[in-house]
Amino acid sequence: MKVPDFGTFGTLKLDPAPGTGFGSLKISRKAEGHFGTGPVQGYSAIKPDLPPIHSEKVESKASFQDYLLEAMKSVNAQQLEVSDLTQKVITDPDDINVAQVTTAMAKARMSLNLAQNVIDRLLSGWNEITTTR
């Protein structure tokens, strides 16, 4: 059996137990960083041809209020979509798939429950902050 080589990381070897076909996996490590004797290196030091994971800093101008309002708009849009689909089921049942309506209802219910939990947590956190002063 050929032993795979992982470059600076080490080699991988499977030692099967006699007669069982099962065994243990043994990794032979080569890099000093694995044993704590070398300096800590970033990923780019191991694979210099790849770009860093976070190469660009993303500047966000949106505030928490904007994120919260966008989430509420999304919840509202899902509720309105469910309302429209239920009206279509009542007026023209052959035109709409019932599974689509059920899925939309479940999504809307889950997003509403999530929004309700977030608002409850925000209010309880705010109450804790104001009462500890």
Side-chain angles (χ1 to χ4, degrees):
M1 180 170 131
K2 185 176 186 278
V3 176
D5 187 15
F6 296 107
T8 59
F9 292 115
T11 57
L12 186 66
K13 184 177 180 184
L14 179 63
D15 295 326
T20 62
F22 298 104
S24 61
L25 192 62
K26 182 179 179 184
I27 299 174
S28 301
R29 298 179 178 171
K30 296 180 185 176
E32 289 181 5
H34 291 170
F35 303 107
T37 58
V40 177
Q41 300 176 9
Y43 183 74
S44 59
I46 298 169
K47 289 277 197 182
D49 56 330
L50 295 176
I53 294 174
H54 299 288
S55 60
E56 297 177 11
K57 187 174 181 179
V58 177
E59 293 291 328
S60 177
K61 301 292 182 190
S63 66
F64 180 72
Q65 178 184 1
D66 295 335
Y67 287 123
L68 196 57
L69 287 175
E70 188 64 34
M72 289 297 121
K73 287 179 186 176
S74 173
V75 170
N76 187 37
Q78 287 179 350
Q79 296 293 327
L80 292 175
E81 179 188 2
V82 167
S83 177
D84 290 341
L85 287 175
T86 26
Q87 285 179 2
K88 285 181 184 177
V89 163
I90 292 170
T91 58
D92 191 15
D94 296 332
D95 189 36
I96 193 88
N97 188 0
V98 177
Q100 182 182 5
V101 176
T102 308
T103 305
M105 284 180 168
K107 280 183 182 180
R109 186 178 301 124
M110 285 178 60
S111 64
L112 186 62
N113 286 339
L114 179 63
Q116 197 170 18
N117 284 333
V118 167
I119 290 170
D120 289 344
R121 296 260 176 126
L122 284 171
L123 289 175
S124 66
W126 179 254
N127 287 336
E128 275 188 40
I129 290 171
T130 56
T131 56
T132 56
R133 287 187 174 187

